[in-house]
Amino acid sequence: MRKKAPTAWLSLLLQSSVRGGLRRAYAQVQLDPKKYLRHVRRAYRLPIKSWQDVRFLDESLLNRTAARVVRSSARTAALEGMGLGIWGITTLVPDMGILSAITIRMLQKLSLIYGFEYSTDDEIAALWVAAASAAGLDLTREFLEKQAVERIVPRIIDQVAVKLGAEVAEKWAARVVPILSAVGAASLNYYFVRSWGRRAQQHFLERRRYLHARRIPGPFLLPSTSPLTEMN
């Protein structure tokens, strides 16, 4: 019983940090698709001239590229966690804000790699539906009904913040002791981002298969009958 009170308090604190971090990421963390296109052509040697060309690439090639993106993001998160984690629990809250930005940037990269841009409101909303899936949330059909992006994104952010805050609070003991907690913080961040990345990768892959099977020529919000509403 003694452990529940501080854990609950920390959970609420982390929820606020994650919510703020995700909202800032929503407004400010914007990966430039054109610059990233040049990067993936050079670094991953994807034979594409535009993101629309991704739909013609073999699935296995996209999966390998996405896996490299996830590993790279997880390593970045681990280094960030090690730097802040050296001070233990006192830096956990700002760490979660930075971690939110790293995660959203990773999701944007994965979205583009599987051929889903985010220039329209529908595409932006679809990106945040992927974020919910990556967090392990099972959104209801009513939640996935088409609505204004200004409404759906804040609702997703709130749900992700609650879930993530609770999950991290349960593991906060690894960061209580300064210095030694740096290793624990790095590990926590690494496995957290890797887990999110793998779930997001699966989400985009299944969505790509769904659209291709029905010969739908573009990325749209998931219909309520999509099998992706049953994921996670």
Side-chain angles (χ1 to χ4, degrees):
M1 294 297 293
R2 291 182 180 179
K3 293 183 179 180
K4 290 185 178 180
T7 301
W9 168 81
L10 183 60
S11 177
L12 291 175
L13 192 61
L14 290 174
Q15 287 176 30
S16 177
S17 178
V18 173
R19 186 179 295 109
L22 290 176
R23 287 178 178 174
R24 285 191 296 275
Y26 172 42
Q28 302 172 6
V29 179
Q30 183 72 12
L31 182 72
D32 187 326
K34 292 182 179 179
K35 288 184 179 179
Y36 193 60
L37 177 65
R38 292 194 293 270
H39 173 74
V40 298
R41 291 177 61 185
R42 182 181 65 256
Y44 304 130
R45 301 193 180 281
L46 291 186
I48 57 176
K49 294 183 178 180
S50 70
W51 291 115
Q52 288 74 25
D53 294 340
V54 168
R55 72 185 67 184
F56 303 111
L57 296 184
D58 185 80
E59 183 179 290
S60 61
L61 177 58
L62 298 182
N63 290 341
R64 288 196 299 272
T65 303
R68 292 178 63 181
V69 169
V70 172
R71 286 196 299 271
S72 176
S73 299
R75 286 195 296 267
T76 299
L79 291 173
E80 179 271 331
M82 182 173 291
L84 288 177
I86 196 170
W87 302 109
I89 194 67
T90 58
T91 56
L92 180 55
V93 173
D95 178 31
M96 294 310 299
I98 298 172
L99 193 62
S100 298
I102 293 173
T103 303
I104 294 304
R105 196 170 181 84
M106 175 186 66
L107 292 177
Q108 291 175 343
K109 292 176 180 179
L110 292 174
S111 181
L112 290 172
I113 286 171
Y114 282 101
F116 301 109
E117 298 183 70
Y118 39 84
S119 57
T120 68
D121 283 352
D122 277 3
E123 291 166 349
I124 292 172
L127 177 66
W128 283 88
V129 168
S133 178
L137 292 173
D138 183 16
L139 302 181
T140 64
R141 291 183 178 182
E142 291 75 16
F143 196 96
L144 291 176
E145 289 178 351
K146 186 174 181 180
Q147 55 184 301
V149 67
E150 311 84 53
R151 294 179 55 192
I152 192 172
V153 173
R155 291 176 62 193
I156 291 176
I157 287 176
D158 287 343
Q159 290 199 25
V160 170
V162 170
K163 191 173 191 305
L164 181 56
E167 288 181 356
V168 176
E170 292 177 356
K171 303 173 181 177
W172 73 297
R175 302 191 59 170
V176 172
V177 183
I179 307 301
L180 294 179
S181 68
V183 176
S187 298
L188 182 62
N189 282 15
Y190 179 87
Y191 289 109
F192 164 76
V193 172
R194 189 181 71 170
S195 176
W196 268 54
R198 288 179 174 178
R199 285 196 295 255
Q201 182 182 352
Q202 183 64 25
H203 173 93
F204 288 123
L205 176 60
E206 292 296 331
R207 184 175 166 206
R208 182 177 188 269
R209 289 173 176 172
Y210 178 84
L211 296 178
H212 278 213
R214 287 154 183 78
R215 300 183 182 279
I216 300 176
F220 304 102
L221 280 175
L222 299 177
S224 60
T225 55
S226 167
L228 290 182
T229 60
E230 306 298 328
M231 287 182 62
N232 304 314

